[in-house]
Amino acid sequence: MVINFHTHTFPDKMAEKTVAHLAKIGGLPPYTDGKRGSLLESMNKYGIDRSVVLPVATLPKQERSINALSAELNGKDGIFYAGGIHPDCGDVCGTLDFIKKSGLFGIKLHPDYQGVHFDDPRYVNIMREAAKRGLYIVTHAGIDVGFRDHVHCTPDMILNVLGQLEGVIDNRLILAHMGSYEMPDEVLCKLCGKPVYMDTAAVLDLYPDKCVEIIRKHGADRILFATDSPWKSQGEYLGIFENLPLSEGEKEKILHRNAERILSVK
């Protein structure tokens, strides 16, 4: 069983334009066209049993359509969805209630694309209310390739949030990109051992040895296999992961058991 916990898709009518725009600002050529059907083709080709799509609401007005579509598609063809919420949401509790009642496992935050620091009070409130409802919070963490001049989610900001919400969001927060993209040494010093999950999206090919070091220090029980498709190849990433010097038990946890616990699936 393999679960890819970090992917992105876009509605067919806007996928081509959106992927082209993101590829330009980030300097990353995509491996698929960003359509749901293409994700399914990639899953079938490379033996990925389930994937998780993480939509981002870049404007408050996008929340309703994003969450309605996520609720409609959730669980179909082995693809699960998070909900989207913007820091300027006009009805935080109502939006989170809809996400919860729709059966979505959690929410996705992207501090860079939403223009808010991770420890902003608006985010803190959203995370507090999400955790109260039993929802998980996935966030982009570390540098974003499209916004290198200003990091909106640093390890220190993450520590600040964990301090403010101690006992509230413990083991509910999922940090993408192995804790913080392109900041593995800070992750090792500041975040390993904290009550958070980390996913492997977009970093396995950049510094695999550091990833192993983080896994060893943080523990395989709270690491999730992820690729960041369409920006990384599911097949390439699965191959890199399988070649990491980890035990079969550790690989099993990272490839699917931890994700099954979060998604409440088998």
Side-chain angles (χ1 to χ4, degrees), residues 1-4 31-32 38-51 225 227 229-230 232-240 242 255:
M1 172 70 73
V2 179
I3 299 177
N4 181 359
Y31 282 80
T32 77
S38 299
L39 175 62
L40 277 169
E41 289 177 9
S42 177
M43 290 168 62
N44 292 332
K45 180 177 180 179
Y46 295 116
I48 307 293
D49 299 281
R50 291 170 175 148
S51 287
F225 174 73
T227 67
S229 175
K232 297 291 182 176
S233 164
Q234 294 195 100
E236 178 186 347
Y237 256 53
L238 188 55
I240 294 171
E242 291 288 10
L255 283 175

Side-chain angles (χ1 to χ4, degrees), residues 51-260:
S51 287
V52 175
V53 173
L54 304 173
V56 178
T58 56
L59 295 170
K61 66 181 182 180
Q62 296 172 341
E63 292 172 341
R64 185 180 299 273
S65 60
I66 284 173
N67 293 329
L69 184 60
S70 293
E72 177 187 344
L73 297 175
N74 189 49
K76 294 181 179 178
D77 302 314
I79 300 179
F80 294 82
Y81 289 75
I85 189 168
H86 191 274
D88 291 326
C89 175
D91 183 8
V92 169
C93 291
T95 300
L96 293 173
D97 285 342
F98 177 84
I99 290 170
K100 178 65 176 180
K101 291 175 182 177
S102 298
L104 305 178
F105 76 93
I107 59 172
K108 171 66 187 288
L109 305 177
H110 200 306
D112 297 287
Y113 282 99
Q114 294 177 324
V116 174
H117 289 133
F118 186 65
D119 54 359
D120 185 281
R122 289 169 289 176
Y123 266 166
V124 173
N125 179 58
I126 287 171
M127 287 186 271
R128 179 185 292 110
E129 293 299 328
K132 285 180 182 178
R133 290 158 173 79
L135 294 168
Y136 287 85
I137 304 111
V138 186
T139 185
H140 173 90
I143 294 167
D144 185 277
V145 293
F147 300 89
R148 288 187 175 276
D149 59 334
H150 189 109
V151 183
H152 288 80
C153 182
T154 66
D156 285 334
M157 293 177 193
I158 294 167
L159 289 177
N160 187 11
V161 169
L162 291 175
Q164 292 184 61
L165 298 178
E166 183 177 2
V168 178
I169 62 168
D170 289 5
N171 298 311
R172 290 280 167 187
L173 180 60
I174 301 169
L175 305 174
H177 314 300
M178 203 58 101
S180 285
Y181 187 75
E182 290 190 2
M183 305 175 78
D185 291 327
E186 281 200 61
V187 171
L188 282 163
C189 292
K190 298 177 180 180
L191 297 180
C192 283
K194 299 299 181 182
V196 298
Y197 285 88
M198 302 179 188
D199 78 31
T200 68
V203 295
L204 287 181
D205 56 331
L206 300 183
Y207 36 86
D209 293 341
K210 286 288 186 181
C211 288
V212 172
E213 196 174 346
I214 291 170
I215 292 169
R216 295 283 191 218
K217 188 171 182 179
H218 191 58
D221 288 326
R222 287 181 291 183
I223 304 290
L224 301 159
F225 174 73
T227 67
D228 209 0
S229 175
W231 310 113
K232 297 291 182 176
S233 164
Q234 294 195 100
E236 178 186 347
Y237 256 53
L238 188 55
I240 294 171
F241 179 79
E242 291 288 10
N243 286 321
L244 295 179
L246 302 171
S247 71
E248 289 306 309
E250 288 172 321
K251 289 180 179 178
E252 189 176 67
K253 290 176 182 178
I254 296 168
L255 283 175
H256 68 94
R257 291 207 178 279
N258 297 336
E260 287 170 345

Side-chain angles (χ1 to χ4, degrees), residues 22-35:
L22 293 173
K24 182 178 181 179
I25 65 174
L28 292 174
Y31 282 80
T32 77
D33 59 11
K35 297 178 181 179

